[in-house]
Amino acid sequence: MQAFFSKILTYIFVFIIYIFIYVIIRMIFSDIQMMYRKKTGGLAEAYLKLINLRRDLDFPVDESYEIEDNEVIGRGKNCSIVVPDRFLSLKHSRIFKNSGKFYLEDLGSTNGTYLNGTALGDTAVELLDGDKIRIGRVTFLFVLPGGASKGKSK
Amino acid sequence: MKKFFQNIRPLLLLLLLNAIGMLLMYIKGVDTLEDMAILCSAMCLLSIAMYAIITLFSLGDSYLFIIISMLSTVGIIMQSRINQDDGMRQMKLYLVGVAFFFIALFVYKCFHKHFEKFTFFYWGLSMALFAFTAVFGTVRNGAKNWIDLPGLPSIQPSEFIRILFVLSLAAIFTRARSRKKGKYIPYLERKKIKSTRLMFAAGIAFSNALCLFLQREWGIALLFFAIYIAFLYIYGENKLFFAANMVLVIFAAFIGVKFMSHIQVRISAWLDPFNDVDGKGYQIVRSLFAIGEGGFAGTGIGAGSPYLIPVVNSDFIFSAICEEMGVLGGVAILMLYFLLVYRGFKISLSSTNEFNKAVAMGLSVMLGIQTFIIVGGVTKLIPLTGITLPFISFGGSSMITTFIVMGMLQAISSIKGEVTDEIE
């Protein structure tokens, strides 16, 4: 009986060591991913550039974020672009790509999403190169090199 | 505070593991369970406090300490299982070791700019320690490598010399570089400067190794050579010198095998341990039987018979782990070491100071090679040489040395943080 218990406990013991290794590797992996995200910029088709001076903000935010197919901006940890500003909702707004064009939509946020100074309604709006996106206290410049820009469309 | 709670999961797993360890000790029936539980809780509290300090005050890499705690916990449980008094002593050593970790962290963090100046002081100190051991040392297990001072715990100076060795090599190899930084030096001239430096490095390495050979510490001598070769490979730049060193090392090994009966015994025990099961091959055969007995999943902690392996609490602890936790547990331990060495190299790569880079690299290589030498030795991959398994083997000097090494790595990772902040 004693041998049986110790055997079971040993299995659990070893299993926990493996979970520990898994957790550590995942943490290291997400660290590396974050570093990679910070370093690159320019590889992706489009990106967001921070307009605010970083020293004016009392929370950490990157200088630029790459935009791929679908990015959710918000305060929550599950968002692909996390901005820990307390004026943001957990899931604030979303930028997605549809048939080659980028769109911005508000995800029912409390304080709203502003595109070039006007608040977004329920529908998604197409993003053009040089658009200014304001969420909470942060303002981003949407950069789409080689894409349709405000200057061209006017 | 948020940072601390964000990454708390590995800490919780560590506490859970400690609890299961105590449960295992309860099932096995230990006389001094209360004392053990008190020490174990003290350990857990200390781990939490250290982790909190490291994350809250941004003292660099946050994975290093938690992996160390994990390895120490496994070590303590195995030690308690083999001999409860040793287990208790190992717990106390962990507490002392953490204190040394902290001291090393702060001393290195505050004075790291001065450490690269004392190249020959390190060498002199290690030579003095060797001489001191040769005169006042006591003989244990056929090697005169212990110092018993009245009123102090007995220490093994060769363990501490490892740190001095890495520091002296790092100073020699990097000062030659950083002093000439920003200036163009003609190739011929540069080679001349380098070769005198390389000669000094070779002198330091071979004099240390010779002393270790005289002390019959084959394992640590091998470790020193490996560190030296790693430094040469990375900083040497001179292929001819590298080749000459390799030839010299191989020649020394050949001489050793040819004329030293101690090494001949090890080699023959490695090649065919079953030829002389009761004599030369006894240790390694016992170790192989234990590993085979454990199989894939192990016999269960407390259900095996690790007493049958000689010196099981220090050199052969890995065989005991393999017996009771199986190959699965052994691989888990190796993966923890792998992560630790990986973090070490990562710290070295991201450090901005040349000297700190070299020190971190040397210490990580030391840790990795040490693990390889002893695990390879007990599993009959390479000839067996007596060296401790970091954090798990029983032994005060080794435990404290490895904690100091980790403290230095932690300090180097935190120094990096300071510099990048200034740049931003």
Short mmCIF file of all heavy atoms in Angstrom, two decimals, chain B residues 113-162:
data_model
loop_
_atom_site.label_atom_id
_atom_site.label_comp_id
_atom_site.label_asym_id
_atom_site.label_seq_id
_atom_site.Cartn_x
_atom_site.Cartn_y
_atom_site.Cartn_z
N LYS B 113 32.39 47.05 -12.27
CA LYS B 113 33.36 47.76 -13.09
C LYS B 113 34.79 47.47 -12.65
O LYS B 113 35.72 47.61 -13.41
CB LYS B 113 33.10 49.26 -13.01
CG LYS B 113 31.83 49.64 -13.72
CD LYS B 113 31.83 51.09 -14.15
CE LYS B 113 30.60 51.43 -14.94
NZ LYS B 113 29.41 51.71 -14.10
N HIS B 114 34.94 47.08 -11.38
CA HIS B 114 36.28 46.85 -10.85
C HIS B 114 36.76 45.43 -11.03
O HIS B 114 37.93 45.15 -10.88
CB HIS B 114 36.32 47.23 -9.37
CG HIS B 114 35.82 48.62 -9.12
ND1 HIS B 114 36.56 49.72 -9.46
CD2 HIS B 114 34.66 49.08 -8.62
CE1 HIS B 114 35.87 50.81 -9.16
NE2 HIS B 114 34.71 50.43 -8.65
N PHE B 115 35.82 44.52 -11.32
CA PHE B 115 36.19 43.11 -11.33
C PHE B 115 37.19 42.76 -12.43
O PHE B 115 37.91 41.79 -12.31
CB PHE B 115 34.94 42.23 -11.48
CG PHE B 115 34.35 41.84 -10.17
CD1 PHE B 115 33.42 42.64 -9.53
CD2 PHE B 115 34.73 40.66 -9.55
CE1 PHE B 115 32.89 42.29 -8.32
CE2 PHE B 115 34.21 40.29 -8.34
CZ PHE B 115 33.29 41.12 -7.72
N GLU B 116 37.20 43.55 -13.52
CA GLU B 116 38.08 43.15 -14.62
C GLU B 116 39.53 43.58 -14.43
O GLU B 116 40.36 43.30 -15.26
CB GLU B 116 37.52 43.69 -15.94
CG GLU B 116 37.38 45.18 -15.98
CD GLU B 116 36.80 45.63 -17.32
OE1 GLU B 116 37.19 45.06 -18.33
OE2 GLU B 116 35.96 46.54 -17.32
N LYS B 117 39.81 44.27 -13.33
CA LYS B 117 41.17 44.77 -13.15
C LYS B 117 42.11 43.77 -12.51
O LYS B 117 43.32 43.94 -12.57
CB LYS B 117 41.14 46.03 -12.27
CG LYS B 117 40.44 47.19 -12.94
CD LYS B 117 40.29 48.34 -11.97
CE LYS B 117 39.37 49.41 -12.51
NZ LYS B 117 38.88 50.30 -11.46
N PHE B 118 41.55 42.76 -11.88
CA PHE B 118 42.38 41.92 -11.01
C PHE B 118 42.79 40.60 -11.65
O PHE B 118 42.80 39.57 -10.99
CB PHE B 118 41.66 41.63 -9.70
CG PHE B 118 41.21 42.85 -8.98
CD1 PHE B 118 39.88 43.10 -8.76
CD2 PHE B 118 42.15 43.76 -8.52
CE1 PHE B 118 39.48 44.23 -8.10
CE2 PHE B 118 41.75 44.89 -7.85
CZ PHE B 118 40.41 45.13 -7.63
N THR B 119 43.12 40.61 -12.93
CA THR B 119 43.43 39.37 -13.64
C THR B 119 44.37 38.46 -12.85
O THR B 119 44.06 37.30 -12.60
CB THR B 119 44.11 39.69 -14.97
OG1 THR B 119 43.44 40.79 -15.54
CG2 THR B 119 44.08 38.50 -15.88
N PHE B 120 45.52 39.01 -12.46
CA PHE B 120 46.53 38.15 -11.86
C PHE B 120 46.31 37.96 -10.38
O PHE B 120 46.80 37.01 -9.80
CB PHE B 120 47.93 38.70 -12.17
CG PHE B 120 48.19 38.63 -13.64
CD1 PHE B 120 48.08 39.76 -14.43
CD2 PHE B 120 48.47 37.42 -14.23
CE1 PHE B 120 48.29 39.67 -15.78
CE2 PHE B 120 48.67 37.32 -15.60
CZ PHE B 120 48.58 38.45 -16.37
N PHE B 121 45.50 38.83 -9.81
CA PHE B 121 45.11 38.63 -8.41
C PHE B 121 44.28 37.35 -8.29
O PHE B 121 44.49 36.56 -7.37
CB PHE B 121 44.32 39.83 -7.92
CG PHE B 121 43.72 39.65 -6.58
CD1 PHE B 121 44.51 39.66 -5.45
CD2 PHE B 121 42.35 39.46 -6.44
CE1 PHE B 121 43.95 39.48 -4.20
CE2 PHE B 121 41.79 39.29 -5.20
CZ PHE B 121 42.59 39.29 -4.08
N TYR B 122 43.37 37.13 -9.25
CA TYR B 122 42.55 35.90 -9.22
C TYR B 122 43.45 34.67 -9.30
O TYR B 122 43.28 33.70 -8.57
CB TYR B 122 41.56 35.86 -10.39
CG TYR B 122 40.56 36.97 -10.38
CD1 TYR B 122 40.33 37.73 -11.53
CD2 TYR B 122 39.82 37.26 -9.25
CE1 TYR B 122 39.41 38.74 -11.53
CE2 TYR B 122 38.90 38.27 -9.25
CZ TYR B 122 38.70 39.02 -10.39
OH TYR B 122 37.79 40.02 -10.39
N TRP B 123 44.41 34.78 -10.24
CA TRP B 123 45.31 33.64 -10.43
C TRP B 123 46.13 33.41 -9.16
O TRP B 123 46.26 32.28 -8.68
CB TRP B 123 46.23 33.91 -11.63
CG TRP B 123 47.20 32.83 -11.87
CD1 TRP B 123 46.94 31.62 -12.42
CD2 TRP B 123 48.59 32.85 -11.56
NE1 TRP B 123 48.08 30.88 -12.49
CE2 TRP B 123 49.11 31.61 -11.96
CE3 TRP B 123 49.45 33.79 -10.99
CZ2 TRP B 123 50.45 31.29 -11.81
CZ3 TRP B 123 50.77 33.47 -10.84
CH2 TRP B 123 51.27 32.23 -11.24
N GLY B 124 46.67 34.49 -8.60
CA GLY B 124 47.45 34.35 -7.38
C GLY B 124 46.64 33.76 -6.24
O GLY B 124 47.11 32.88 -5.51
N LEU B 125 45.39 34.23 -6.13
CA LEU B 125 44.52 33.73 -5.06
C LEU B 125 44.26 32.23 -5.23
O LEU B 125 44.31 31.47 -4.26
CB LEU B 125 43.21 34.51 -5.07
CG LEU B 125 42.32 34.36 -3.85
CD1 LEU B 125 43.04 34.87 -2.61
CD2 LEU B 125 41.03 35.11 -4.04
N SER B 126 44.02 31.81 -6.47
CA SER B 126 43.73 30.39 -6.66
C SER B 126 44.98 29.56 -6.38
O SER B 126 44.90 28.50 -5.76
CB SER B 126 43.14 30.10 -8.04
OG SER B 126 43.89 30.72 -9.04
N MET B 127 46.15 30.08 -6.82
CA MET B 127 47.40 29.35 -6.51
C MET B 127 47.62 29.26 -5.00
O MET B 127 48.00 28.22 -4.48
CB MET B 127 48.58 30.07 -7.16
CG MET B 127 48.68 29.90 -8.65
SD MET B 127 48.86 28.19 -9.12
CE MET B 127 47.46 27.99 -10.17
N ALA B 128 47.32 30.36 -4.30
CA ALA B 128 47.49 30.38 -2.85
C ALA B 128 46.56 29.35 -2.20
O ALA B 128 46.96 28.62 -1.28
CB ALA B 128 47.21 31.77 -2.31
N LEU B 129 45.33 29.28 -2.73
CA LEU B 129 44.38 28.31 -2.18
C LEU B 129 44.87 26.88 -2.42
O LEU B 129 44.78 26.02 -1.53
CB LEU B 129 43.01 28.50 -2.82
CG LEU B 129 42.11 29.54 -2.17
CD1 LEU B 129 40.86 29.75 -3.01
CD2 LEU B 129 41.70 29.10 -0.78
N PHE B 130 45.43 26.64 -3.62
CA PHE B 130 45.97 25.30 -3.91
C PHE B 130 47.10 24.98 -2.94
O PHE B 130 47.17 23.87 -2.38
CB PHE B 130 46.50 25.25 -5.34
CG PHE B 130 45.43 24.97 -6.36
CD1 PHE B 130 45.27 25.81 -7.45
CD2 PHE B 130 44.61 23.87 -6.24
CE1 PHE B 130 44.30 25.56 -8.40
CE2 PHE B 130 43.63 23.61 -7.18
CZ PHE B 130 43.48 24.46 -8.26
N ALA B 131 48.00 25.96 -2.74
CA ALA B 131 49.14 25.73 -1.86
C ALA B 131 48.66 25.46 -0.44
O ALA B 131 49.14 24.54 0.24
CB ALA B 131 50.07 26.94 -1.89
N PHE B 132 47.67 26.26 -0.03
CA PHE B 132 47.13 26.10 1.32
C PHE B 132 46.55 24.70 1.50
O PHE B 132 46.77 24.04 2.52
CB PHE B 132 46.04 27.16 1.52
CG PHE B 132 45.60 27.29 2.94
CD1 PHE B 132 46.40 27.91 3.88
CD2 PHE B 132 44.36 26.80 3.33
CE1 PHE B 132 45.99 28.02 5.19
CE2 PHE B 132 43.95 26.91 4.64
CZ PHE B 132 44.76 27.54 5.57
N THR B 133 45.82 24.23 0.47
CA THR B 133 45.24 22.89 0.55
C THR B 133 46.33 21.83 0.60
O THR B 133 46.22 20.85 1.33
CB THR B 133 44.36 22.62 -0.68
OG1 THR B 133 43.73 23.80 -1.07
CG2 THR B 133 43.33 21.57 -0.39
N ALA B 134 47.38 22.05 -0.21
CA ALA B 134 48.45 21.05 -0.25
C ALA B 134 49.14 20.93 1.11
O ALA B 134 49.55 19.85 1.51
CB ALA B 134 49.47 21.43 -1.32
N VAL B 135 49.23 22.05 1.83
CA VAL B 135 49.94 22.02 3.12
C VAL B 135 49.01 21.57 4.24
O VAL B 135 49.31 20.66 5.00
CB VAL B 135 50.55 23.40 3.43
CG1 VAL B 135 51.22 23.38 4.78
CG2 VAL B 135 51.53 23.78 2.34
N PHE B 136 47.84 22.22 4.32
CA PHE B 136 46.97 21.98 5.48
C PHE B 136 45.80 21.04 5.19
O PHE B 136 44.96 20.83 6.05
CB PHE B 136 46.41 23.31 5.99
CG PHE B 136 47.47 24.26 6.46
CD1 PHE B 136 47.89 25.31 5.67
CD2 PHE B 136 48.07 24.08 7.70
CE1 PHE B 136 48.86 26.18 6.09
CE2 PHE B 136 49.06 24.95 8.13
CZ PHE B 136 49.46 25.99 7.33
N GLY B 137 45.71 20.55 3.95
CA GLY B 137 44.54 19.78 3.57
C GLY B 137 44.45 18.43 4.25
O GLY B 137 45.42 17.92 4.81
N THR B 138 43.26 17.84 4.21
CA THR B 138 43.09 16.49 4.72
C THR B 138 42.67 15.59 3.57
O THR B 138 42.05 16.04 2.62
CB THR B 138 42.01 16.44 5.82
OG1 THR B 138 40.92 17.24 5.39
CG2 THR B 138 42.52 16.91 7.13
N VAL B 139 43.01 14.32 3.70
CA VAL B 139 42.76 13.38 2.61
C VAL B 139 41.41 12.71 2.79
O VAL B 139 41.09 12.21 3.86
CB VAL B 139 43.88 12.30 2.57
CG1 VAL B 139 43.64 11.34 1.42
CG2 VAL B 139 45.23 12.97 2.45
N ARG B 140 40.60 12.78 1.73
CA ARG B 140 39.33 12.06 1.74
C ARG B 140 39.13 11.36 0.41
O ARG B 140 39.36 11.95 -0.64
CB ARG B 140 38.16 13.03 1.93
CG ARG B 140 37.93 13.39 3.37
CD ARG B 140 36.58 14.06 3.51
NE ARG B 140 36.63 15.02 4.61
CZ ARG B 140 35.64 15.85 4.88
NH1 ARG B 140 34.55 15.84 4.13
NH2 ARG B 140 35.74 16.68 5.88
N ASN B 141 38.72 10.16 0.40
CA ASN B 141 38.49 9.37 -0.81
C ASN B 141 39.71 9.41 -1.74
O ASN B 141 39.58 9.57 -2.94
CB ASN B 141 37.25 9.87 -1.59
CG ASN B 141 36.00 9.75 -0.75
OD1 ASN B 141 35.92 8.88 0.12
ND2 ASN B 141 35.05 10.62 -1.01
N GLY B 142 40.88 9.33 -1.17
CA GLY B 142 42.09 9.28 -1.99
C GLY B 142 42.51 10.58 -2.62
O GLY B 142 43.36 10.60 -3.48
N ALA B 143 41.91 11.70 -2.22
CA ALA B 143 42.31 12.98 -2.79
C ALA B 143 42.48 13.98 -1.66
O ALA B 143 41.63 14.08 -0.77
CB ALA B 143 41.27 13.47 -3.78
N LYS B 144 43.61 14.70 -1.71
CA LYS B 144 43.86 15.68 -0.66
C LYS B 144 43.28 17.02 -1.08
O LYS B 144 43.97 17.86 -1.63
CB LYS B 144 45.37 15.80 -0.44
CG LYS B 144 45.74 16.55 0.82
CD LYS B 144 47.25 16.56 1.01
CE LYS B 144 47.61 17.21 2.33
NZ LYS B 144 49.04 17.28 2.54
N ASN B 145 41.99 17.20 -0.91
CA ASN B 145 41.36 18.41 -1.43
C ASN B 145 40.39 19.05 -0.43
O ASN B 145 39.51 19.80 -0.81
CB ASN B 145 40.65 18.13 -2.75
CG ASN B 145 39.72 16.95 -2.65
OD1 ASN B 145 39.36 16.53 -1.56
ND2 ASN B 145 39.32 16.42 -3.77
N TRP B 146 40.52 18.73 0.82
CA TRP B 146 39.62 19.32 1.81
C TRP B 146 40.43 20.11 2.82
O TRP B 146 41.56 19.76 3.13
CB TRP B 146 38.82 18.26 2.54
CG TRP B 146 37.77 17.65 1.70
CD1 TRP B 146 37.95 16.63 0.80
CD2 TRP B 146 36.41 18.03 1.63
NE1 TRP B 146 36.77 16.37 0.19
CE2 TRP B 146 35.80 17.20 0.67
CE3 TRP B 146 35.63 18.99 2.28
CZ2 TRP B 146 34.46 17.31 0.35
CZ3 TRP B 146 34.30 19.09 1.96
CH2 TRP B 146 33.72 18.26 1.01
N ILE B 147 39.82 21.17 3.34
CA ILE B 147 40.46 21.90 4.42
C ILE B 147 39.54 21.81 5.64
O ILE B 147 38.36 22.18 5.56
CB ILE B 147 40.67 23.38 4.05
CG1 ILE B 147 41.67 23.50 2.90
CG2 ILE B 147 41.20 24.15 5.26
CD1 ILE B 147 41.91 24.91 2.47
N ASP B 148 40.07 21.27 6.71
CA ASP B 148 39.32 21.22 7.96
C ASP B 148 39.91 22.26 8.89
O ASP B 148 41.02 22.10 9.40
CB ASP B 148 39.44 19.84 8.61
CG ASP B 148 38.53 18.85 7.93
OD1 ASP B 148 37.35 19.18 7.72
OD2 ASP B 148 39.00 17.74 7.60
N LEU B 149 39.17 23.34 9.10
CA LEU B 149 39.65 24.33 10.06
C LEU B 149 38.85 24.16 11.34
O LEU B 149 37.65 23.90 11.28
CB LEU B 149 39.44 25.74 9.51
CG LEU B 149 40.36 26.15 8.36
CD1 LEU B 149 40.00 27.52 7.88
CD2 LEU B 149 41.82 26.09 8.80
N PRO B 150 39.51 24.28 12.48
CA PRO B 150 38.76 24.14 13.73
C PRO B 150 37.71 25.24 13.85
O PRO B 150 37.98 26.41 13.59
CB PRO B 150 39.85 24.27 14.81
CG PRO B 150 41.01 24.89 14.12
CD PRO B 150 40.93 24.50 12.69
N GLY B 151 36.50 24.84 14.18
CA GLY B 151 35.44 25.82 14.38
C GLY B 151 34.70 26.19 13.12
O GLY B 151 33.70 26.91 13.17
N LEU B 152 35.17 25.72 11.96
CA LEU B 152 34.50 26.05 10.71
C LEU B 152 34.09 24.75 10.02
O LEU B 152 34.72 23.72 10.25
CB LEU B 152 35.44 26.82 9.78
CG LEU B 152 35.70 28.29 10.10
CD1 LEU B 152 36.82 28.79 9.23
CD2 LEU B 152 34.45 29.10 9.88
N PRO B 153 33.05 24.80 9.21
CA PRO B 153 32.73 23.60 8.43
C PRO B 153 33.84 23.32 7.42
O PRO B 153 34.47 24.26 6.92
CB PRO B 153 31.41 23.96 7.74
CG PRO B 153 31.33 25.43 7.80
CD PRO B 153 32.08 25.88 8.98
N SER B 154 34.07 22.06 7.13
CA SER B 154 35.17 21.74 6.21
C SER B 154 34.79 22.18 4.79
O SER B 154 33.65 22.04 4.37
CB SER B 154 35.45 20.24 6.22
OG SER B 154 34.29 19.53 5.90
N ILE B 155 35.77 22.77 4.10
CA ILE B 155 35.48 23.29 2.77
C ILE B 155 36.41 22.66 1.74
O ILE B 155 37.48 22.17 2.06
CB ILE B 155 35.61 24.82 2.73
CG1 ILE B 155 36.98 25.27 3.21
CG2 ILE B 155 34.50 25.48 3.49
CD1 ILE B 155 37.24 26.73 2.94
N GLN B 156 35.94 22.71 0.48
CA GLN B 156 36.70 22.17 -0.63
C GLN B 156 37.11 23.35 -1.52
O GLN B 156 36.29 23.85 -2.28
CB GLN B 156 35.81 21.20 -1.40
CG GLN B 156 36.55 20.23 -2.22
CD GLN B 156 35.64 19.21 -2.85
OE1 GLN B 156 34.43 19.24 -2.70
NE2 GLN B 156 36.23 18.30 -3.58
N PRO B 157 38.37 23.82 -1.41
CA PRO B 157 38.73 25.06 -2.11
C PRO B 157 38.59 24.96 -3.63
O PRO B 157 38.32 25.96 -4.29
CB PRO B 157 40.19 25.27 -1.73
CG PRO B 157 40.43 24.40 -0.58
CD PRO B 157 39.48 23.28 -0.66
N SER B 158 38.77 23.76 -4.18
CA SER B 158 38.74 23.66 -5.64
C SER B 158 37.38 24.08 -6.20
O SER B 158 37.29 24.50 -7.35
CB SER B 158 39.07 22.24 -6.08
OG SER B 158 38.23 21.33 -5.43
N GLU B 159 36.33 23.98 -5.37
CA GLU B 159 35.02 24.43 -5.84
C GLU B 159 35.01 25.94 -6.06
O GLU B 159 34.48 26.43 -7.04
CB GLU B 159 33.93 24.07 -4.81
CG GLU B 159 33.72 22.59 -4.61
CD GLU B 159 32.91 21.96 -5.72
OE1 GLU B 159 32.30 22.72 -6.50
OE2 GLU B 159 32.93 20.73 -5.83
N PHE B 160 35.63 26.67 -5.11
CA PHE B 160 35.61 28.13 -5.23
C PHE B 160 36.58 28.62 -6.30
O PHE B 160 36.37 29.67 -6.89
CB PHE B 160 35.96 28.77 -3.88
CG PHE B 160 34.94 28.45 -2.83
CD1 PHE B 160 35.20 27.52 -1.84
CD2 PHE B 160 33.70 29.07 -2.85
CE1 PHE B 160 34.25 27.21 -0.90
CE2 PHE B 160 32.75 28.76 -1.90
CZ PHE B 160 33.02 27.83 -0.93
N ILE B 161 37.63 27.83 -6.53
CA ILE B 161 38.62 28.23 -7.53
C ILE B 161 37.99 28.31 -8.91
O ILE B 161 38.42 29.10 -9.74
CB ILE B 161 39.84 27.27 -7.47
CG1 ILE B 161 40.61 27.52 -6.18
CG2 ILE B 161 40.76 27.47 -8.65
CD1 ILE B 161 41.64 26.51 -5.87
N ARG B 162 36.94 27.52 -9.14
CA ARG B 162 36.27 27.55 -10.46
C ARG B 162 35.83 28.97 -10.81
O ARG B 162 36.00 29.42 -11.94
CB ARG B 162 35.04 26.65 -10.44
CG ARG B 162 35.41 25.20 -10.31
CD ARG B 162 34.22 24.34 -10.43
NE ARG B 162 33.15 24.74 -9.52
CZ ARG B 162 32.04 24.06 -9.37
NH1 ARG B 162 31.85 22.97 -10.06
NH2 ARG B 162 31.12 24.46 -8.53
#
